[in-house]
Amino acid sequence: MDSNGGGAAQARETGTLGKLMVLLDLVTHADAPLRFTDVLALAGQPRGTLHRQLSHLVEEGLLELDGDGRYAPGLRLLDFAARSWARNEFRMIAEPHLADLQRATGETVHLGVLRGQSIIYLDKVEGRQPVRMYSQIGNASPCYCTGVGKAALSLLPAESLVDLVAGLSFTSFTASTHVSAETLLAEIREIADQGYAFDREEHEAGIRCVAAPVWSEDRTFMGGISITGPAYRLSMELLHQWAVPVQLAAARIMEGMRVRLGPRR
Amino acid sequence: MDSNGGGAAQARETGTLGKLMVLLDLVTHADAPLRFTDVLALAGQPRGTLHRQLSHLVEEGLLELDGDGRYAPGLRLLDFAARSWARNEFRMIAEPHLADLQRATGETVHLGVLRGQSIIYLDKVEGRQPVRMYSQIGNASPCYCTGVGKAALSLLPAESLVDLVAGLSFTSFTASTHVSAETLLAEIREIADQGYAFDREEHEAGIRCVAAPVWSEDRTFMGGISITGPAYRLSMELLHQWAVPVQLAAARIMEGMRVRLGPRR
DNA sequence: ATCGTTGTTCCATTATTTGGAACTTAATTT
DNA sequence: AAATTAAGTTCCAAATAATGGAACAACGAT
């Protein structure tokens, strides 16, 4: 009765809200707007119930219902997100250091934090114009195959790390993607020792990165910063050289957090 | 018993979700993270109830609770928003036309749609580099003092317009901001006739714009595009000249929508 | 026009939320 | 350091909202 096909649906302890969030997830993760019947099949709930739930989500602007009766993510989500992003202190403090790092290397720089099993990107600084805002910002990527993700994992205490990794379901994005908890844990240990992480085309073929962990003192933010670029331009040798500047930038961000947030706490 | 001090809280017909969204609104609209007691005062609910509600929101990632016991908007909202934005067809279709308009004028171009009483900005194309992603995108601005907003209002059928305007509470951002339903309605009628709208420093002192309405056939999207810039550079004479290219771009976007969405429907 | 499909409404049953009060923990004062 | 106050958390009977089966309406296709 509780067989989840491939989705990451979990029983949550958040009552009515939890059920609605599962629905919201379902619709926002779809590739295209879903009709009522599609959602019905995916959610596996009685029609009456589902209908009311969707109505409520639409009325609150979290979902939108177009003229053809198809459900899509609502635009009110943008308003919430804009506020969340604009007010995020971690991001504000990191911003100038990301820009410095971008200028020093000429490559794209990311800032991301761990939330659940995902890395959520908070900022992105690109060399040239084509900053397609939201292009990467806000995106949730797996933690086990991104530089920032593995850097973040290296910050976790042993027990939490094992628990988190145990809950992962590995998707093999490329030939280099980790597909077992063992190899991943081994690399995380190594990363914890050396203080920086690589992504050797594990998430996307032809894309490499070097990342360093960043965290706030209260452990509210555990994430990292990375320099990303095409493999033909970023040799592993070059990435090794960049490990130092990335770690330096990370250190400056953490110092900034300490100065800014320390006194108040 | 239902006396709302100054907030925009409304009784909604969305049951438990509605109550939680009011809370989410409350926290995301605050200027700084709120402590439990602060929320308690603002929400005016029993402690036990509020505690559980906040816990649920935090557990779902819609709010975050930092080490000092302060509630802030959650980062999961970014993930939702990124998907909502990335998949929005209206925005995708408009994108190239916004870029054209930006190149033709050299000034900043916006795309926004009406949601409730607000304009939500879906895209922004700036001349120079400083595209601070999310800077404007996702922001909700009042409909009665922005070019895009007034353009959008001019699309509403008479009855809906009156209803909507009746529900507005006018904030006087500058000396030119509309503060009465009468003058606003008069200008909206004028805009409906001529097909374009101005913002004469009504939202922000020193900032002007010219906007044209854009809508989808099924009326799911009613909004507009605008050219915005500093008053010293954008004379009212220049803005009058730009009314034509803005309307042209708007027409091309609507044609694009027709071609893209028409066949399927 | 008719049938099958899709979407909507209704209402007794069931499960969740509610809110007062008791309780624990942290901060402040004497 | 002990006492006092404030802040946050847990508990549970009563009130409220969610549930889901079935009947109903709207639409499309043959």
Side-chain angles (χ1 to χ4, degrees):
Chain A
M1 184 156 284
D2 211 273
S3 64
N4 298 317
Q10 313 155 23
R12 314 193 206 200
E13 289 303 322
T14 46
T16 303
L17 178 62
K19 297 169 197 166
L20 291 171
M21 294 303 286
V22 169
L23 264 186
L24 186 54
D25 252 345
L26 217 150
V27 175
T28 53
H29 279 77
D31 297 321
L34 299 171
R35 295 216 319 271
F36 181 85
T37 316
D38 302 327
V39 184
L40 188 65
L42 289 166
Q45 292 196 76
R47 300 146 80 101
T49 301
L50 183 65
H51 185 259
R52 182 182 34 75
Q53 290 173 328
L54 288 173
S55 301
H56 284 181
L57 287 169
V58 168
E59 196 164 335
E60 289 295 337
L62 303 181
L63 288 182
E64 306 211 345
L65 181 55
D66 70 18
D68 300 350
R70 292 180 310 196
Y71 292 91
L75 295 181
R76 182 133 98 107
L77 293 165
L78 296 190
D79 181 32
F80 284 126
R83 289 175 204 283
S84 179
W85 189 84
R87 272 179 38 187
N88 188 279
E89 294 201 88
F90 194 56
R91 187 216 103 236
M92 288 168 61
I93 290 165
E95 195 176 288
H97 303 291
L98 302 184
D100 288 348
L101 201 53
Q102 192 286 319
R103 268 192 297 274
T105 61
E107 298 293 343
T108 301
V109 173
H110 283 116
L111 170 71
V113 298
L114 187 67
R115 282 296 177 271
Q117 304 182 338
S118 300
I119 289 298
I120 295 184
Y121 287 103
L122 292 187
D123 211 344
K124 174 183 187 177
V125 184
E126 267 183 313
R128 305 195 174 185
Q129 174 69 307
V131 182
R132 237 12 280 160
M133 33 262 155
Y134 275 85
S135 68
Q136 190 71 238
I137 293 175
N139 265 17
S141 295
C143 60
Y144 59 88
C145 62
T146 54
V148 170
K150 293 188 291 180
L153 291 184
S154 78
L155 298 170
L156 289 171
E159 200 182 341
S160 324
L161 175 62
V162 171
D163 286 353
L164 191 154
V165 171
L168 290 174
S169 60
F170 296 90
T171 301
S172 181
F173 294 99
T174 75
S176 335
T177 311
H178 279 288
V179 289
S180 85
E182 288 71 34
T183 62
L184 176 61
L185 285 172
E187 193 190 351
I188 300 300
R189 272 191 292 274
E190 200 182 323
I191 292 167
D193 284 345
Q194 64 195 11
Y196 55 89
F198 296 112
D199 168 359
R200 306 164 202 250
E201 310 187 37
E202 295 160 44
H203 189 30
E204 202 172 333
I207 301 292
R208 284 187 187 138
C209 92
V210 55
V214 189
W215 66 94
S216 62
E217 275 183 42
D218 65 0
R219 300 265 144 170
T220 301
F221 296 98
M222 291 192 291
I225 56 177
S226 68
I227 308 174
T228 310
Y232 72 83
R233 205 157 61 207
L234 278 63
S235 65
M236 284 311 295
E237 193 191 335
L238 184 57
L239 286 185
H240 270 100
Q241 286 173 28
W242 281 348
V244 174
V246 174
Q247 285 180 290
L248 264 173
R252 291 198 192 99
I253 292 169
M254 290 189 275
E255 174 61 12
M257 289 286 284
R258 208 186 56 72
V259 171
R260 174 83 169 268
L261 301 180
R264 277 206 216 143
R265 302 180 110 87
Chain B
M1 187 150 284
D2 211 273
S3 63
N4 298 319
Q10 312 155 22
R12 315 194 203 198
E13 289 302 323
T14 47
T16 303
L17 178 62
K19 297 168 195 166
L20 292 172
M21 294 303 286
V22 169
L23 264 187
L24 187 54
D25 252 345
L26 217 150
V27 175
T28 53
H29 279 75
D31 297 320
L34 300 171
R35 297 223 315 268
F36 180 85
T37 317
D38 303 326
V39 183
L40 188 64
L42 290 166
Q45 291 197 75
R47 300 147 81 95
T49 301
L50 183 64
H51 186 259
R52 182 183 34 76
Q53 290 173 328
L54 288 173
S55 301
H56 285 182
L57 288 168
V58 167
E59 197 163 336
E60 289 295 337
L62 302 181
L63 289 182
E64 306 211 345
L65 181 55
D66 69 19
D68 300 351
R70 293 181 310 197
Y71 293 91
L75 295 181
R76 183 133 97 106
L77 292 165
L78 296 190
D79 180 32
F80 284 127
R83 290 176 204 283
S84 180
W85 190 84
R87 273 179 38 187
N88 189 279
E89 293 201 89
F90 194 55
R91 188 214 103 239
M92 288 167 60
I93 290 165
E95 194 176 288
H97 303 291
L98 302 184
D100 287 348
L101 201 53
Q102 193 285 319
R103 269 191 297 274
T105 61
E107 299 293 343
T108 301
V109 173
H110 284 117
L111 170 71
V113 298
L114 187 67
R115 283 294 177 271
Q117 303 181 339
S118 301
I119 290 297
I120 294 185
Y121 288 103
L122 292 186
D123 212 342
K124 174 184 188 175
V125 183
E126 267 183 313
R128 304 194 175 188
Q129 174 69 306
V131 182
R132 240 5 288 154
M133 33 260 154
Y134 275 85
S135 68
Q136 190 72 238
I137 295 174
N139 265 16
S141 296
C143 61
Y144 59 88
C145 61
T146 54
V148 170
K150 293 188 291 182
L153 291 183
S154 80
L155 298 170
L156 288 171
E159 200 181 342
S160 324
L161 176 62
V162 171
D163 287 352
L164 191 154
V165 171
L168 289 175
S169 59
F170 295 90
T171 301
S172 181
F173 294 99
T174 75
S176 334
T177 311
H178 279 287
V179 289
S180 84
E182 288 70 34
T183 61
L184 177 62
L185 285 171
E187 193 189 352
I188 300 299
R189 271 190 291 275
E190 201 182 322
I191 291 166
D193 284 345
Q194 64 196 11
Y196 55 89
F198 296 113
D199 167 0
R200 305 164 202 249
E201 311 187 37
E202 295 161 44
H203 188 31
E204 202 172 334
I207 301 292
R208 284 188 187 136
C209 92
V210 55
V214 189
W215 66 93
S216 62
E217 275 183 41
D218 64 1
R219 299 266 145 171
T220 302
F221 296 98
M222 291 193 291
I225 56 177
S226 69
I227 308 174
T228 309
Y232 71 84
R233 204 159 59 208
L234 277 62
S235 66
M236 285 310 296
E237 194 191 335
L238 185 56
L239 286 185
H240 271 100
Q241 285 173 29
W242 281 347
V244 175
V246 175
Q247 286 180 291
L248 264 174
R252 291 197 193 100
I253 292 170
M254 290 189 277
E255 174 63 11
M257 289 285 285
R258 209 187 54 73
V259 171
R260 173 84 168 269
L261 302 179
R264 277 207 215 140
R265 301 179 111 87

mmCIF file of all heavy atoms in Angstrom, chain A residues 14-16 19 35-37 47-48 51, chain C residues 5-11 15-17:
data_model
loop_
_atom_site.group_PDB
_atom_site.id
_atom_site.type_symbol
_atom_site.label_atom_id
_atom_site.label_comp_id
_atom_site.label_asym_id
_atom_site.label_seq_id
_atom_site.Cartn_x
_atom_site.Cartn_y
_atom_site.Cartn_z
ATOM 1 N N THR A 14 3.990 16.036 9.173
ATOM 2 C CA THR A 14 3.530 17.408 9.146
ATOM 3 C C THR A 14 2.064 17.505 8.755
ATOM 4 O O THR A 14 1.623 18.515 8.219
ATOM 5 C CB THR A 14 4.383 18.240 8.181
ATOM 6 O OG1 THR A 14 4.532 17.522 6.978
ATOM 7 C CG2 THR A 14 5.739 18.517 8.765
ATOM 8 N N GLY A 15 1.338 16.449 9.046
ATOM 9 C CA GLY A 15 -0.109 16.479 8.895
ATOM 10 C C GLY A 15 -0.581 16.930 7.539
ATOM 11 O O GLY A 15 -0.060 16.506 6.506
ATOM 12 N N THR A 16 -1.589 17.774 7.574
ATOM 13 C CA THR A 16 -2.217 18.234 6.348
ATOM 14 C C THR A 16 -1.218 18.942 5.437
ATOM 15 O O THR A 16 -1.227 18.736 4.227
ATOM 16 C CB THR A 16 -3.367 19.193 6.698
ATOM 17 O OG1 THR A 16 -4.281 18.522 7.542
ATOM 18 C CG2 THR A 16 -4.085 19.633 5.453
ATOM 19 N N LYS A 19 0.879 16.544 3.332
ATOM 20 C CA LYS A 19 0.174 15.948 2.194
ATOM 21 C C LYS A 19 0.120 16.919 1.034
ATOM 22 O O LYS A 19 0.282 16.547 -0.129
ATOM 23 C CB LYS A 19 -1.246 15.562 2.614
ATOM 24 C CG LYS A 19 -1.283 14.496 3.703
ATOM 25 C CD LYS A 19 -2.694 14.353 4.277
ATOM 26 C CE LYS A 19 -2.677 13.613 5.609
ATOM 27 N NZ LYS A 19 -3.940 13.747 6.338
ATOM 28 N N ARG A 35 -2.663 17.351 -16.109
ATOM 29 C CA ARG A 35 -4.115 17.417 -16.021
ATOM 30 C C ARG A 35 -4.553 16.754 -14.725
ATOM 31 O O ARG A 35 -3.798 16.024 -14.094
ATOM 32 C CB ARG A 35 -4.752 16.707 -17.223
ATOM 33 C CG ARG A 35 -4.438 17.420 -18.528
ATOM 34 C CD ARG A 35 -5.606 17.363 -19.489
ATOM 35 N NE ARG A 35 -6.237 16.053 -19.489
ATOM 36 C CZ ARG A 35 -5.865 15.068 -20.287
ATOM 37 N NH1 ARG A 35 -4.882 15.239 -21.136
ATOM 38 N NH2 ARG A 35 -6.495 13.925 -20.244
ATOM 39 N N PHE A 36 -5.825 16.997 -14.370
ATOM 40 C CA PHE A 36 -6.341 16.443 -13.124
ATOM 41 C C PHE A 36 -6.111 14.936 -13.073
ATOM 42 O O PHE A 36 -5.644 14.388 -12.075
ATOM 43 C CB PHE A 36 -7.833 16.765 -12.984
ATOM 44 C CG PHE A 36 -8.442 16.246 -11.718
ATOM 45 C CD1 PHE A 36 -8.370 16.977 -10.552
ATOM 46 C CD2 PHE A 36 -9.070 15.009 -11.696
ATOM 47 C CE1 PHE A 36 -8.920 16.493 -9.379
ATOM 48 C CE2 PHE A 36 -9.624 14.515 -10.524
ATOM 49 C CZ PHE A 36 -9.548 15.261 -9.366
ATOM 50 N N THR A 37 -6.421 14.279 -14.151
ATOM 51 C CA THR A 37 -6.296 12.825 -14.202
ATOM 52 C C THR A 37 -4.852 12.368 -14.004
ATOM 53 O O THR A 37 -4.605 11.341 -13.382
ATOM 54 C CB THR A 37 -6.806 12.310 -15.557
ATOM 55 O OG1 THR A 37 -8.016 12.983 -15.853
ATOM 56 C CG2 THR A 37 -7.046 10.834 -15.511
ATOM 57 N N ARG A 47 -10.704 10.931 -5.710
ATOM 58 C CA ARG A 47 -10.900 12.122 -6.534
ATOM 59 C C ARG A 47 -11.376 13.326 -5.749
ATOM 60 O O ARG A 47 -10.874 14.435 -5.935
ATOM 61 C CB ARG A 47 -11.922 11.816 -7.637
ATOM 62 C CG ARG A 47 -11.515 10.722 -8.542
ATOM 63 C CD ARG A 47 -12.721 9.928 -8.988
ATOM 64 N NE ARG A 47 -13.435 10.587 -10.061
ATOM 65 C CZ ARG A 47 -13.316 10.246 -11.336
ATOM 66 N NH1 ARG A 47 -12.484 9.284 -11.674
ATOM 67 N NH2 ARG A 47 -14.009 10.850 -12.260
ATOM 68 N N GLY A 48 -12.347 13.099 -4.879
ATOM 69 C CA GLY A 48 -12.886 14.216 -4.102
ATOM 70 C C GLY A 48 -11.808 14.901 -3.287
ATOM 71 O O GLY A 48 -11.664 16.133 -3.309
ATOM 72 N N HIS A 51 -9.261 16.716 -5.482
ATOM 73 C CA HIS A 51 -9.835 17.921 -6.067
ATOM 74 C C HIS A 51 -9.790 19.091 -5.093
ATOM 75 O O HIS A 51 -9.394 20.195 -5.442
ATOM 76 C CB HIS A 51 -11.278 17.651 -6.494
ATOM 77 C CG HIS A 51 -11.892 18.795 -7.208
ATOM 78 N ND1 HIS A 51 -12.754 19.673 -6.596
ATOM 79 C CD2 HIS A 51 -11.738 19.238 -8.469
ATOM 80 C CE1 HIS A 51 -13.113 20.592 -7.456
ATOM 81 N NE2 HIS A 51 -12.523 20.364 -8.603
ATOM 82 P P DT C 5 -13.640 4.898 -21.214
ATOM 83 O OP1 DT C 5 -12.492 4.137 -21.744
ATOM 84 O OP2 DT C 5 -14.404 4.399 -20.047
ATOM 85 O "O5'" DT C 5 -13.164 6.380 -20.904
ATOM 86 C "C5'" DT C 5 -12.939 7.282 -21.996
ATOM 87 C "C4'" DT C 5 -12.947 8.699 -21.489
ATOM 88 O "O4'" DT C 5 -14.309 9.123 -21.217
ATOM 89 C "C3'" DT C 5 -12.174 8.911 -20.178
ATOM 90 O "O3'" DT C 5 -11.098 9.789 -20.441
ATOM 91 C "C2'" DT C 5 -13.204 9.509 -19.224
ATOM 92 C "C1'" DT C 5 -14.254 10.071 -20.185
ATOM 93 N N1 DT C 5 -15.618 10.230 -19.615
ATOM 94 C C2 DT C 5 -16.165 11.498 -19.553
ATOM 95 O O2 DT C 5 -15.575 12.492 -19.931
ATOM 96 N N3 DT C 5 -17.426 11.543 -19.028
ATOM 97 C C4 DT C 5 -18.192 10.486 -18.563
ATOM 98 O O4 DT C 5 -19.314 10.673 -18.108
ATOM 99 C C5 DT C 5 -17.566 9.197 -18.658
ATOM 100 C C7 DT C 5 -18.299 7.991 -18.187
ATOM 101 C C6 DT C 5 -16.306 9.127 -19.175
ATOM 102 P P DT C 6 -9.980 10.084 -19.338
ATOM 103 O OP1 DT C 6 -8.707 10.325 -20.028
ATOM 104 O OP2 DT C 6 -10.110 9.040 -18.305
ATOM 105 O "O5'" DT C 6 -10.461 11.467 -18.722
ATOM 106 C "C5'" DT C 6 -10.690 12.585 -19.586
ATOM 107 C "C4'" DT C 6 -11.385 13.689 -18.810
ATOM 108 O "O4'" DT C 6 -12.742 13.293 -18.503
ATOM 109 C "C3'" DT C 6 -10.729 14.015 -17.466
ATOM 110 O "O3'" DT C 6 -10.353 15.380 -17.464
ATOM 111 C "C2'" DT C 6 -11.798 13.713 -16.422
ATOM 112 C "C1'" DT C 6 -13.085 13.794 -17.252
ATOM 113 N N1 DT C 6 -14.210 12.981 -16.721
ATOM 114 C C2 DT C 6 -15.422 13.583 -16.503
ATOM 115 O O2 DT C 6 -15.616 14.771 -16.711
ATOM 116 N N3 DT C 6 -16.415 12.756 -16.012
ATOM 117 C C4 DT C 6 -16.304 11.403 -15.739
ATOM 118 O O4 DT C 6 -17.255 10.769 -15.302
ATOM 119 C C5 DT C 6 -15.002 10.823 -15.992
ATOM 120 C C7 DT C 6 -14.781 9.376 -15.723
ATOM 121 C C6 DT C 6 -14.028 11.633 -16.466
ATOM 122 P P DG C 7 -9.544 16.030 -16.276
ATOM 123 O OP1 DG C 7 -8.669 17.089 -16.806
ATOM 124 O OP2 DG C 7 -8.985 14.918 -15.486
ATOM 125 O "O5'" DG C 7 -10.691 16.733 -15.434
ATOM 126 C "C5'" DG C 7 -11.446 17.788 -16.035
ATOM 127 C "C4'" DG C 7 -12.670 18.073 -15.197
ATOM 128 O "O4'" DG C 7 -13.438 16.853 -15.055
ATOM 129 C "C3'" DG C 7 -12.405 18.580 -13.770
ATOM 130 O "O3'" DG C 7 -13.047 19.827 -13.616
ATOM 131 C "C2'" DG C 7 -12.995 17.512 -12.876
ATOM 132 C "C1'" DG C 7 -14.034 16.879 -13.778
ATOM 133 N N9 DG C 7 -14.418 15.506 -13.430
ATOM 134 C C8 DG C 7 -13.648 14.380 -13.452
ATOM 135 N N7 DG C 7 -14.286 13.293 -13.090
ATOM 136 C C5 DG C 7 -15.570 13.750 -12.811
ATOM 137 C C6 DG C 7 -16.714 13.050 -12.367
ATOM 138 O O6 DG C 7 -16.828 11.841 -12.129
ATOM 139 N N1 DG C 7 -17.811 13.887 -12.209
ATOM 140 C C2 DG C 7 -17.793 15.252 -12.454
ATOM 141 N N2 DG C 7 -18.938 15.899 -12.250
ATOM 142 N N3 DG C 7 -16.736 15.921 -12.867
ATOM 143 C C4 DG C 7 -15.663 15.114 -13.022
ATOM 144 P P DT C 8 -12.800 20.644 -12.251
ATOM 145 O OP1 DT C 8 -12.790 22.070 -12.607
ATOM 146 O OP2 DT C 8 -11.675 20.064 -11.507
ATOM 147 O "O5'" DT C 8 -14.145 20.361 -11.444
ATOM 148 C "C5'" DT C 8 -15.398 20.685 -12.044
ATOM 149 C "C4'" DT C 8 -16.546 20.331 -11.124
ATOM 150 O "O4'" DT C 8 -16.652 18.884 -11.027
ATOM 151 C "C3'" DT C 8 -16.424 20.837 -9.681
ATOM 152 O "O3'" DT C 8 -17.533 21.700 -9.438
ATOM 153 C "C2'" DT C 8 -16.468 19.582 -8.811
ATOM 154 C "C1'" DT C 8 -17.116 18.569 -9.736
ATOM 155 N N1 DT C 8 -16.755 17.148 -9.506
ATOM 156 C C2 DT C 8 -17.728 16.265 -9.094
ATOM 157 O O2 DT C 8 -18.889 16.585 -8.900
ATOM 158 N N3 DT C 8 -17.298 14.972 -8.924
ATOM 159 C C4 DT C 8 -16.025 14.488 -9.116
ATOM 160 O O4 DT C 8 -15.750 13.313 -8.931
ATOM 161 C C5 DT C 8 -15.050 15.468 -9.539
ATOM 162 C C7 DT C 8 -13.638 15.043 -9.775
ATOM 163 C C6 DT C 8 -15.460 16.736 -9.714
ATOM 164 P P DT C 9 -17.679 22.455 -8.053
ATOM 165 O OP1 DT C 9 -18.341 23.745 -8.321
ATOM 166 O OP2 DT C 9 -16.373 22.407 -7.369
ATOM 167 O "O5'" DT C 9 -18.695 21.530 -7.256
ATOM 168 C "C5'" DT C 9 -20.020 21.353 -7.778
ATOM 169 C "C4'" DT C 9 -20.769 20.345 -6.918
ATOM 170 O "O4'" DT C 9 -20.110 19.063 -6.971
ATOM 171 C "C3'" DT C 9 -20.877 20.709 -5.426
ATOM 172 O "O3'" DT C 9 -22.257 20.698 -5.081
ATOM 173 C "C2'" DT C 9 -20.087 19.617 -4.715
ATOM 174 C "C1'" DT C 9 -20.193 18.454 -5.700
ATOM 175 N N1 DT C 9 -19.104 17.446 -5.637
ATOM 176 C C2 DT C 9 -19.435 16.133 -5.440
ATOM 177 O O2 DT C 9 -20.584 15.735 -5.311
ATOM 178 N N3 DT C 9 -18.359 15.270 -5.413
ATOM 179 C C4 DT C 9 -17.033 15.602 -5.549
ATOM 180 O O4 DT C 9 -16.164 14.745 -5.500
ATOM 181 C C5 DT C 9 -16.759 16.999 -5.745
ATOM 182 C C7 DT C 9 -15.346 17.469 -5.901
ATOM 183 C C6 DT C 9 -17.790 17.847 -5.780
ATOM 184 P P DC C 10 -22.769 21.293 -3.690
ATOM 185 O OP1 DC C 10 -24.040 21.991 -3.982
ATOM 186 O OP2 DC C 10 -21.645 22.009 -3.058
ATOM 187 O "O5'" DC C 10 -23.090 19.980 -2.839
ATOM 188 C "C5'" DC C 10 -23.748 18.900 -3.476
ATOM 189 C "C4'" DC C 10 -23.831 17.684 -2.567
ATOM 190 O "O4'" DC C 10 -22.681 16.847 -2.782
ATOM 191 C "C3'" DC C 10 -23.885 17.967 -1.067
ATOM 192 O "O3'" DC C 10 -25.007 17.280 -0.515
ATOM 193 C "C2'" DC C 10 -22.568 17.422 -0.530
ATOM 194 C "C1'" DC C 10 -22.225 16.347 -1.547
ATOM 195 N N1 DC C 10 -20.769 16.073 -1.701
ATOM 196 C C2 DC C 10 -20.318 14.753 -1.686
ATOM 197 O O2 DC C 10 -21.137 13.835 -1.538
ATOM 198 N N3 DC C 10 -18.991 14.506 -1.839
ATOM 199 C C4 DC C 10 -18.144 15.529 -2.001
ATOM 200 N N4 DC C 10 -16.857 15.230 -2.152
ATOM 201 C C5 DC C 10 -18.589 16.885 -2.031
ATOM 202 C C6 DC C 10 -19.899 17.113 -1.878
ATOM 203 P P DC C 11 -25.561 17.669 0.938
ATOM 204 O OP1 DC C 11 -27.030 17.494 0.875
ATOM 205 O OP2 DC C 11 -24.976 18.962 1.364
ATOM 206 O "O5'" DC C 11 -24.961 16.525 1.872
ATOM 207 C "C5'" DC C 11 -25.211 15.147 1.560
ATOM 208 C "C4'" DC C 11 -24.433 14.268 2.514
ATOM 209 O "O4'" DC C 11 -23.044 14.242 2.080
ATOM 210 C "C3'" DC C 11 -24.414 14.748 3.967
ATOM 211 O "O3'" DC C 11 -24.536 13.627 4.820
ATOM 212 C "C2'" DC C 11 -23.045 15.402 4.096
ATOM 213 C "C1'" DC C 11 -22.217 14.503 3.191
ATOM 214 N N1 DC C 11 -20.960 15.124 2.663
ATOM 215 C C2 DC C 11 -19.893 14.290 2.336
ATOM 216 O O2 DC C 11 -20.022 13.069 2.492
ATOM 217 N N3 DC C 11 -18.758 14.845 1.852
ATOM 218 C C4 DC C 11 -18.669 16.162 1.696
ATOM 219 N N4 DC C 11 -17.536 16.664 1.225
ATOM 220 C C5 DC C 11 -19.754 17.034 2.025
ATOM 221 C C6 DC C 11 -20.874 16.478 2.496
ATOM 222 P P DA C 15 -9.663 7.053 11.160
ATOM 223 O OP1 DA C 15 -8.794 6.045 10.514
ATOM 224 O OP2 DA C 15 -10.154 6.849 12.538
ATOM 225 O "O5'" DA C 15 -8.921 8.457 11.084
ATOM 226 C "C5'" DA C 15 -8.601 9.013 9.806
ATOM 227 C "C4'" DA C 15 -8.116 10.434 9.973
ATOM 228 O "O4'" DA C 15 -9.203 11.265 10.456
ATOM 229 C "C3'" DA C 15 -6.975 10.608 10.964
ATOM 230 O "O3'" DA C 15 -6.023 11.459 10.372
ATOM 231 C "C2'" DA C 15 -7.643 11.233 12.185
ATOM 232 C "C1'" DA C 15 -8.764 12.044 11.546
ATOM 233 N N9 DA C 15 -9.929 12.257 12.402
ATOM 234 C C8 DA C 15 -10.651 11.324 13.096
ATOM 235 N N7 DA C 15 -11.661 11.813 13.774
ATOM 236 C C5 DA C 15 -11.603 13.165 13.508
ATOM 237 C C6 DA C 15 -12.402 14.246 13.928
ATOM 238 N N6 DA C 15 -13.447 14.112 14.741
ATOM 239 N N1 DA C 15 -12.058 15.482 13.487
ATOM 240 C C2 DA C 15 -11.010 15.613 12.663
ATOM 241 N N3 DA C 15 -10.188 14.672 12.190
ATOM 242 C C4 DA C 15 -10.545 13.462 12.665
ATOM 243 P P DT C 16 -4.634 11.802 11.098
ATOM 244 O OP1 DT C 16 -3.524 11.478 10.206
ATOM 245 O OP2 DT C 16 -4.710 11.245 12.474
ATOM 246 O "O5'" DT C 16 -4.740 13.391 11.196
ATOM 247 C "C5'" DT C 16 -5.326 14.110 10.112
ATOM 248 C "C4'" DT C 16 -5.603 15.530 10.550
ATOM 249 O "O4'" DT C 16 -6.777 15.557 11.397
ATOM 250 C "C3'" DT C 16 -4.467 16.172 11.344
ATOM 251 O "O3'" DT C 16 -4.174 17.418 10.748
ATOM 252 C "C2'" DT C 16 -5.028 16.286 12.754
ATOM 253 C "C1'" DT C 16 -6.528 16.377 12.514
ATOM 254 N N1 DT C 16 -7.389 15.865 13.621
ATOM 255 C C2 DT C 16 -8.377 16.670 14.140
ATOM 256 O O2 DT C 16 -8.577 17.810 13.748
ATOM 257 N N3 DT C 16 -9.118 16.111 15.144
ATOM 258 C C4 DT C 16 -8.989 14.840 15.667
ATOM 259 O O4 DT C 16 -9.724 14.442 16.570
ATOM 260 C C5 DT C 16 -7.939 14.039 15.087
ATOM 261 C C7 DT C 16 -7.700 12.652 15.585
ATOM 262 C C6 DT C 16 -7.196 14.582 14.100
ATOM 263 P P DT C 17 -2.997 18.356 11.283
ATOM 264 O OP1 DT C 17 -2.288 18.868 10.108
ATOM 265 O OP2 DT C 17 -2.274 17.636 12.350
ATOM 266 O "O5'" DT C 17 -3.778 19.577 11.952
ATOM 267 C "C5'" DT C 17 -4.833 20.188 11.228
ATOM 268 C "C4'" DT C 17 -5.704 20.981 12.170
ATOM 269 O "O4'" DT C 17 -6.327 20.093 13.126
ATOM 270 C "C3'" DT C 17 -4.939 22.029 12.985
ATOM 271 O "O3'" DT C 17 -5.636 23.263 12.877
ATOM 272 C "C2'" DT C 17 -4.954 21.452 14.401
ATOM 273 C "C1'" DT C 17 -6.262 20.687 14.407
ATOM 274 N N1 DT C 17 -6.378 19.597 15.420
ATOM 275 C C2 DT C 17 -7.431 19.621 16.326
ATOM 276 O O2 DT C 17 -8.271 20.506 16.348
ATOM 277 N N3 DT C 17 -7.463 18.572 17.209
ATOM 278 C C4 DT C 17 -6.571 17.517 17.265
ATOM 279 O O4 DT C 17 -6.712 16.628 18.106
ATOM 280 C C5 DT C 17 -5.506 17.546 16.302
ATOM 281 C C7 DT C 17 -4.490 16.460 16.294
ATOM 282 C C6 DT C 17 -5.460 18.577 15.432
#
